[in-house]
Amino acid sequence: MIKIESITIKEMRGIRDLSLTLGNEPFVISGPNGSGKSGVVDAIQFVLTGEMGRLKGAGTADITLADHGPHVEKRDDPGAASVTLNVFIPHLEKKASITRTIKKAKTPQITPSDAAVKAVFAELADHSEVTLSRREIIKFILTEAAKRSRDVQTLLKLDAIDETRATLKTTENKLGVEQTTAKTVSEAAEDNLKRHLDLAALRAEDVLAAVNKHRQVLGLRVLAELTKDTDVSQGMEQGDAEAADGQNKESALADVATVIQLTDAGLETPTQATVSALLKDYAAIHADPDLLSKIRRQPFLQTGLELVDGPQCPLCDRSWDIQALRTHLQAKLRVSVQAQATRDRVVDGGNAIAAAALRLREQFSLVAKLPEVDAESASRLQHWAGELLTFAEGLRSFDGVMAASERIEAGWAKAPRALGADLKDLRSRVKARPDKSATEQARSFLVIAQERLESVRRSRRELEEKKANAARGRAAYKAYCDVSEKALTFLYEQVEEEFAAFYRLINHDDEGEFKAKLEPADGKLDLRVDFHKKGMFPPGAYHSEGHQDGMGVCLYLALMKHVMGANFTFAVLDDVVMSVDADHRKKFCKLLKTHFPDTQFIITTHDQVWARQIRSEGLIGAKAAVAFHHWTVETGPVLDEVAEIWDRIDADLAKNEVPTAAARLRRHLEYVAADLADELGAKVKFRADGGYDMGELLSSVIARQGELLKQAAKAAKSWGDGEQAKKIEAFQKARSAILTAKGGEEWVVNKAIHYNEWANLSRNDFKPVVSAFRDVLQQFRCAKPKCDSWLSVTPRNEPIDLRCSCGTVRFNLKEK
Amino acid sequence: MPKIEDEILARFFQELEQTEGFSRERVDNLRALFKAGKKPKATDVVKVLSETPKDQLP
């Protein structure tokens, strides 16, 4: 994706004004705790994402980027707090820059402003995980399975998969409800036709027999078959059909009788099984207030998840971390599996009863229209039909079904007593209708039969469509689940293999057969790791803190490899292996070098030994490091830039700022002396607190170099290698010239010891001091500009070579 | 590099094209709905799954 060429940070967090040149290569920032290293990490994260992870999450309720992102002295001037990255984009082979200020955190300035470059930064904005702290890596390891699943999903950008799955599930449910409703309407239409024809079932031959009987009365042709277009009243005169006005005594009596029968038998009978199941769920919910609370929050969370679609809260307009909020809401949805199941059952039960209520309403509506119904009864019947509709509509939500619990328990369809009397009175009145002529009765019978037959046909077509739609909804959901499960299983298998391979590389000595297993299930991601072939255990069960740190980094690297592939071109590792011992860190360097040769790792550490080890293992070049010495509110980090130290000292002296130049040189020598002591294996008195004196270190380093050169000369002689002997002699001469010209090695040592006096020197007195140390230090490094590495001994315990990184300087130390 | 969710969606649509009841037109409509970065609502998906294909009479 990108590599960082340089970074400039102004008035951001603890940094006032800092520029670092990284040169698109791995880079180390070292320094004690509180020296400002993490400010650089925050700045990189901010310029790329517009956010700062440190200012979010637990314990940061009163902290905001706008208020607390700028340096404390600039907290009222967020426009002054800025970060600029100059980068190289390998796949575009282009240079670009991005600048972001706290004031306009959402709108970075990108140059060049072309679509391809902007797309790169847009994608990076979605990958805050390129900066990684120990706090973050360990969360992949030491966490419960559900949280690990969330964190890993966030890292792998899998949230969108869950969202799509939820959308397809809701779709399936909605189409299912539509089918159920259509079925109810269709069954009600069939009931009406069956009742009118006085049939128990709608078999074609029975329907034809019923209608033909009446057609014959009218002298109409007998219908031989019933097709989807058959009009059972065909052949009737238009006027006859209208005169029949749809009223038929037998049919009306049948409609009234059905309603009375239902009333007598208990109207809710067809839903008895559903009611029984609902009563059990009611009891469970009432017994557990927590369950009810979880169920009620489900749709709220689901709605919230759908509405989280912008960078700001739609209510208070404050910025939020959209990814974190989505993950949080999804996690809450996942943990209530039981609540979701109960909720689904209750809603399904409500839908079934609603369907029955609507069918019942249809029947009441039919009889309410009969001409014998007086105004008062009509009002009661219509009111009851309306009641049933309201009741049914109320059952379309969970809360509605809960609110109806008393009515459902008591008998949801229990009609008012007066209604029973109304119906019986109605039956008497319909019976009392004067008998119409046979032809009039036949006409009205056929007109109603045709109306109801059409209604059945319409509702059946509708039902077929809804069935097909529901089948598509089920098929789509199943297909997505199958495909995503397969893809995720494959992904996790790849990640676990890579993770274990990385870990084995670091811990080859004691866990060379390490295995790991990532198991996704029910919104959880279980991680089990092998412990010395004694079985598979949670990572925190037996492994040490250092091993867990190692696992965290390995899992992170394996995940990133799969998330970003070839685009994993840079990552910031913020003090991530602090619990790993020196030997394993060495192998960690090897892992980064061999498996991620194209990734620019920016590593921060408070451990100078680790910082040196990164260089001695060749993960970074000689100049690819900066050491932060200390930090003050006024200055921000005070640092020693290995690469540009002499230029900076010259600049100080040009401005006659001798104390600044003196402090810079002193810090540089402190840093370099420790480095060189380590690189050359100089003998110094061990100090448990690491508080080595710069003068003592430098003295030992110079002495050690002299010893090594003598040893190299002896070795060359023993091999009869005249050419090498000449090279060494030349080197020794040059070295002596530098040292003796200044009064011998003692001079350097004395100057180093008395560095406290430097600040009081005049510019002209101090310049030779600077020049002398520059010359001295040059004797310890390769002169080739591209290499410029310190000379070091290899192997460290029993050296056989004194050499630079590129091999231009190489002195054999082993005699024949 | 294609994101995992995009790969899954691509395979999902391939699968649907082989599934009864999913015409090319319907799958294309779904594809448009789930186009990169879009987050369709369930009601929109219901609409696509309920549409009568243009080559069939309603």
Side-chain angles (χ1 to χ4, degrees), chain A residues 65-129:
Chain A
L65 179 68
D67 294 338
H68 307 101
H71 186 274
V72 67
E73 299 285 2
K74 293 283 180 181
R75 58 190 183 277
D76 297 327
D77 186 8
S82 71
V83 186
T84 298
L85 281 192
N86 291 309
V87 306
F88 176 67
I89 305 172
H91 70 281
L92 298 179
E93 294 189 346
K94 251 185 186 174
K95 288 186 173 188
S97 75
I98 179 170
T99 298
R100 206 187 282 264
T101 65
I102 296 280
K103 189 176 181 183
K104 293 181 179 174
K106 299 292 172 197
T107 50
Q109 286 182 304
I110 294 171
T111 309
S113 181
D114 62 50
V117 171
K118 283 203 277 191
V120 168
F121 285 116
E123 193 170 354
L124 272 166
D126 203 26
H127 282 284
S128 60
E129 69 278 2

Side-chain angles (χ1 to χ4, degrees), chain A residues 404-519:
Chain A
S405 63
E406 278 184 22
R407 180 171 177 174
I408 289 173
E409 202 165 348
W412 64 267
K414 203 173 188 179
R417 192 167 293 173
L419 218 54
D422 285 341
L423 290 169
K424 281 169 188 160
D425 183 45
L426 177 61
R427 183 170 57 188
S428 304
R429 290 186 196 202
V430 174
K431 269 187 182 170
R433 270 188 200 178
D435 289 334
K436 289 185 179 176
S437 69
T439 51
E440 283 171 333
Q441 279 194 42
R443 277 192 206 110
S444 61
F445 181 90
L446 290 176
V447 169
I448 293 174
Q450 179 57 27
E451 276 176 10
R452 295 192 181 185
L453 180 59
E454 265 313 306
S455 176
V456 169
R457 285 169 174 159
R458 256 197 322 274
S459 62
R460 280 185 177 179
R461 280 198 299 273
E462 178 84 2
L463 176 58
E464 286 311 306
E465 276 178 31
K466 299 294 181 190
K467 269 186 187 172
N469 295 345
R472 274 193 286 273
R474 283 193 300 276
Y477 178 67
K478 185 176 181 306
Y480 191 81
C481 288
D482 290 349
V483 165
S484 58
E485 192 181 326
K486 204 171 162 189
L488 290 181
T489 302
F490 181 64
L491 171 76
Y492 285 133
E493 279 171 3
Q494 284 183 309
V495 169
E496 77 188 16
E497 276 174 28
E498 205 110 48
F499 159 55
F502 291 168
Y503 185 81
R504 282 195 299 270
L505 200 152
I506 296 178
N507 300 278
H508 183 71
D509 52 345
D510 54 350
E511 290 189 89
E513 293 180 47
F514 177 82
K515 286 181 294 188
K517 187 73 192 157
L518 277 169
E519 285 180 350

Side-chain angles (χ1 to χ4, degrees), chain A residues 542-614:
Chain A
Y542 297 113
H543 281 91
S544 70
E545 198 180 15
H547 285 86
Q548 289 166 23
D549 267 12
M551 279 184 217
V553 183
C554 291
L555 185 54
Y556 167 79
L557 291 171
L559 289 167
M560 288 304 281
K561 195 171 168 185
H562 287 277
V563 174
M564 303 185 78
N567 284 334
F568 186 38
T569 56
F570 102 100
V572 182
L573 304 180
D574 187 11
D575 237 350
V576 295
V577 288
M578 64 188 226
S579 300
V580 177
D581 62 44
D583 192 38
H584 290 104
R585 284 175 181 181
K586 193 174 169 179
K587 287 170 187 159
F588 177 60
C589 287
K590 188 179 169 192
L591 168 69
L592 298 185
K593 263 178 75 178
T594 54
H595 285 71
F596 299 91
D598 298 322
T599 305
Q600 178 189 29
F601 289 104
I602 298 162
I603 300 171
T604 71
T605 177
H606 64 276
D607 185 342
Q608 289 297 331
V609 175
W610 170 222
R612 286 185 199 104
Q613 200 173 14
I614 293 170

